[in-house]
Amino acid sequence: MDIGIGLPVLRPDPGLSIVDWARRAEVRGFSTLGCTDRLVYDNYEPLTALAVAAGATSRIRLTTGILLAPLRANHALFAKSAATLDRLSGGRLVLGLAPGAREDDYKAGRLDFQRRGKLFDSLLETATRQWQSHDGIGPRPATPGGPQLLFGGFTKTALRRMVTYGRGWIGGAQGVENFRSLLPGVRQAWRDAGKAGEPRLVATAHFALGPGAEKRLHNSLASYYTSGTYIRESIEAGLATPENVAREVAAYGEAGCDELILFPHGGGLEQVDLLADVVGL
């Protein structure tokens, strides 16, 4: 199983360089740099942050986990932006996509929250067509047919998008048992659609290590999720000790996960090395 690490993009510390973080993550052998997405929150925009990381690295993948795709209302421009990043990074972009469940993000973007599914489908149709035929709009992505797509969510609609457009599925950060319980349905949807091979299975988790890790992780997750079941499940599944990280990484590997991306909460550049040491990189 590959191990990725998220960029420090939530409530970003202006003294913590994404460039230094990305370079250190690549040197330590992480498989990917991940980036999460919100509109109504103090965080860096994912494609922009990944572009900065791309310019500082040469091998590590660049993954949105996840990007709230329907918020990108100009679908041709979104396709162009993604193709540009894929081209400039040498084909390292992986787009984890989902519509999201927070209405405030859509309200701030002056988009109809109830129509986010239709907006998502329209975006996918436009982007995949543009990446394949270009429709007079460049650049041509480095990855033939466009960046690899992973889809979050477990509704029938989410699985339909996965088998129609995607290479696999990306799970939320609610713990390995939640991830394991959803895999049979993902794999069955893949088989029912007559897709070759197996879907790529990616999981996400939250971590903090070092002094004050548990408090940093709890406060950060409580701020990010604000309310609902996600806050309870995510805090319970958060990893704040080396022992918990090691145990959870092993459990995800045993569950059949192809890549686990661990997102940081607080701390400095030392978080890269602390995590790499725990997972054996």
Side-chain angles (χ1 to χ4, degrees):
M1 180 179 70
D2 290 336
I3 305 293
I5 187 171
L7 289 170
V9 297
L10 298 177
R11 292 194 168 179
D13 178 354
L16 181 57
S17 168
I18 280 183
V19 167
D20 292 342
W21 184 285
R23 287 174 176 163
R24 190 63 186 159
E26 184 168 75
V27 167
R28 288 305 304 257
F30 286 101
S31 58
T32 197
L33 291 163
C35 211
T36 57
D37 193 16
R38 283 292 309 275
L39 182 55
V40 185
Y41 196 75
D42 181 13
N43 64 297
Y44 291 141
E45 194 283 319
L47 295 181
T48 306
L50 290 175
V52 172
T57 57
S58 60
R59 300 182 305 277
I60 196 167
R61 284 193 296 269
L62 312 160
T63 301
T64 59
I66 50 113
L67 189 76
L68 301 177
L71 291 179
R72 279 71 187 176
N74 186 322
H75 300 164
L77 181 58
F78 163 77
K80 185 180 184 76
S81 297
T84 298
L85 179 50
D86 189 66
R87 177 77 166 268
L88 293 176
S89 67
R92 291 186 281 147
L93 179 62
V94 177
L95 291 173
L97 305 173
R102 298 179 179 92
E103 190 168 0
D104 57 346
D105 286 331
Y106 285 85
K107 183 177 181 180
R110 298 186 179 182
L111 295 169
D112 186 348
F113 180 70
Q114 301 303 324
R115 295 190 66 251
R116 66 193 187 283
K118 292 182 178 179
L119 291 171
F120 196 5
D121 288 334
S122 177
L123 177 143
L124 290 168
E125 181 180 349
T126 296
T128 54
R129 182 182 66 246
Q130 190 167 309
W131 292 332
Q132 293 165 7
S133 66
H134 313 297
D135 290 346
I137 303 174
R140 186 183 298 270
T143 305
Q148 182 181 121
L149 303 182
L150 306 172
F151 288 87
F154 194 69
T155 64
K156 289 183 179 179
T157 302
L159 296 179
R160 171 184 59 78
R161 293 183 184 118
M162 179 191 73
V163 300
T164 303
Y165 298 103
R167 177 62 189 86
W169 181 72
I170 182 167
Q174 282 76 55
V176 67
E177 292 307 319
N178 177 267
F179 178 81
R180 184 184 286 113
S181 71
L182 298 176
L183 293 190
V186 172
R187 289 175 170 138
Q188 188 62 51
W190 194 262
R191 288 192 296 268
D192 289 347
K195 304 286 285 186
E198 294 290 329
R200 183 166 176 244
L201 303 172
V202 177
T204 57
H206 300 293
F207 86 96
L209 293 170
E214 186 172 353
K215 182 177 181 180
R216 283 190 281 111
L217 183 63
H218 183 282
N219 290 345
S220 179
L221 290 174
S223 169
Y224 186 68
Y225 287 110
T226 66
S227 63
T229 57
Y230 277 125
I231 185 172
R232 175 180 54 79
E233 293 174 351
S234 297
I235 288 176
E236 289 177 354
L239 308 172
T241 67
E243 295 77 15
N244 286 345
V245 170
R247 185 185 65 249
E248 200 79 348
V249 166
Y252 272 107
E254 292 169 0
C257 181
D258 295 309
E259 182 174 55
L260 173 63
I261 306 172
L262 294 115
F263 289 93
H265 291 266
L269 189 58
E270 82 286 345
Q271 296 295 303
V272 178
D273 289 320
L274 288 172
L275 181 61
D277 290 343
V278 170
V279 301
L281 295 178

